[in-house]
Amino acid sequence: MIGICPKCGNYEWDKQISDNKKQIICPKCSHEWNFKAMPLFILTGSSGVGKTTTAQELMQRDKDFIVMDADFLYNIMPHETEEDYKNWVEQIMSLSKNIMQGGKPLLWTIAGALDKFENTYNRRFFTEIHYLALVCNPIVLEKRMREGRQITDVNWIKSSIDYNNWFMETGTLSNQKIDTYNISGKSVSEVADYVTYWVSLKSNPTR
Ligand SMILES: [Zn+2]
């Protein structure tokens, strides 16, 4: 909705953004209108590492950002091809750009498709995208998957451990190392505290 021209009604995904990121510009009629550009926060990590548990804890707290789980869109959209994943991330960002007009940025929990965010049309409406991966000791992760979530599929467990190792050792996006936080031995409350701290740090980098 924020991306629809209020003057001529142009709803195409063709809008430009002013250099100061404070106005949206319609290329069809040159009308400009105000919007709030904010950062987007991505809480990621492999299956079983505790993204959802952390998000649930965060939802119980008063804070300066909105928490959303990308799975709800995943479940109602196709996810077979690269294009499907790109569309999924586009919808996450399109929804986010509208919700953040209420004055708070969003933090999404999402396991994959991380490489899609920077290359979307909707990227222009955000100042920065910040990624934080929850990681943990591989033995702890396997225990969490088997005992916490009753997962017995060895391939799923192995791929999750490999993904976790990737975040710990090399995980990069656009040549930048993804931030990580090791949850081994941490309580849910401590992890939620850290995520809140990380969001405030990234929101105010000079603090
Ligand atoms: Zn227009």
Side-chain angles (χ1 to χ4, degrees):
M1 192 172 72
I2 187 68
I4 299 172
C5 178
K7 191 172 177 201
C8 78
N10 169 18
Y11 58 82
E12 298 292 331
W13 280 10
D14 61 358
K15 304 304 179 299
Q16 293 146 10
I17 303 297
S18 62
D19 289 342
N20 63 9
K21 289 222 173 203
K22 288 186 172 172
Q23 280 89 34
I24 301 174
I25 304 157
C26 174
K28 293 212 167 72
C29 75
S30 301
H31 182 62
E32 298 186 11
W33 62 101
N34 295 332
F35 84 112
K36 296 187 188 81
M38 292 187 184
L40 187 68
F41 299 98
I42 306 297
L43 182 65
T44 187
S46 62
S47 291
V49 81
K51 297 182 297 294
T52 303
T53 311
T54 305
Q56 286 170 322
E57 169 68 18
L58 287 167
M59 279 189 159
Q60 297 294 309
R61 301 181 175 193
D62 288 329
K63 61 208 168 308
D64 298 327
F65 55 93
I66 293 161
V67 178
M68 299 279 277
D69 179 358
D71 280 355
F72 95 89
L73 271 174
Y74 184 86
N75 294 338
I76 57 173
M77 290 181 70
H79 40 268
E80 304 299 325
T81 65
E82 279 291 298
E83 199 59 25
D84 291 342
Y85 280 93
K86 188 164 184 280
N87 290 335
W88 176 40
V89 171
E90 278 287 17
Q91 291 304 325
I92 289 169
M93 296 183 78
S94 182
L95 187 61
S96 301
K97 84 179 174 207
N98 284 289
I99 294 174
M100 75 189 180
Q101 300 312 305
K104 286 186 179 183
L106 288 90
L107 173 113
W108 286 87
T109 59
I110 183 168
L114 303 179
D115 59 328
K116 304 287 183 283
F117 285 85
E118 282 296 336
N119 299 314
T120 53
Y121 162 74
N122 283 290
R123 171 64 182 90
R124 68 194 65 186
F125 298 96
F126 299 84
T127 52
E128 307 269 355
I129 305 177
H130 300 290
Y131 306 85
L132 175 65
L134 301 182
V135 296
C136 77
N137 175 310
I139 294 161
V140 175
L141 182 62
E142 179 159 358
K143 193 173 152 66
R144 289 176 67 101
M145 291 185 78
R146 287 184 184 278
E147 294 172 17
R149 292 180 54 187
Q150 278 78 48
I151 294 166
T152 53
D153 180 340
V154 289
N155 291 327
W156 187 3
I157 292 171
K158 184 182 181 307
S159 73
S160 194
I161 289 172
D162 288 348
Y163 195 35
N164 180 65
N165 286 342
W166 179 77
F167 282 120
M168 287 207 284
E169 289 158 15
T170 52
T172 54
L173 277 173
S174 312
N175 294 321
Q176 210 171 352
K177 182 82 175 71
I178 298 168
D179 290 344
T180 57
Y181 182 69
N182 196 320
I183 60 119
S184 309
K186 298 282 196 293
S187 67
V188 174
S189 180
E190 284 172 318
V191 178
D193 286 348
Y194 182 80
V195 174
T196 306
Y197 164 75
W198 174 79
V199 168
S200 74
L201 195 71
K202 297 292 171 181
S203 302
N204 308 285
T206 54
R207 186 184 283 179

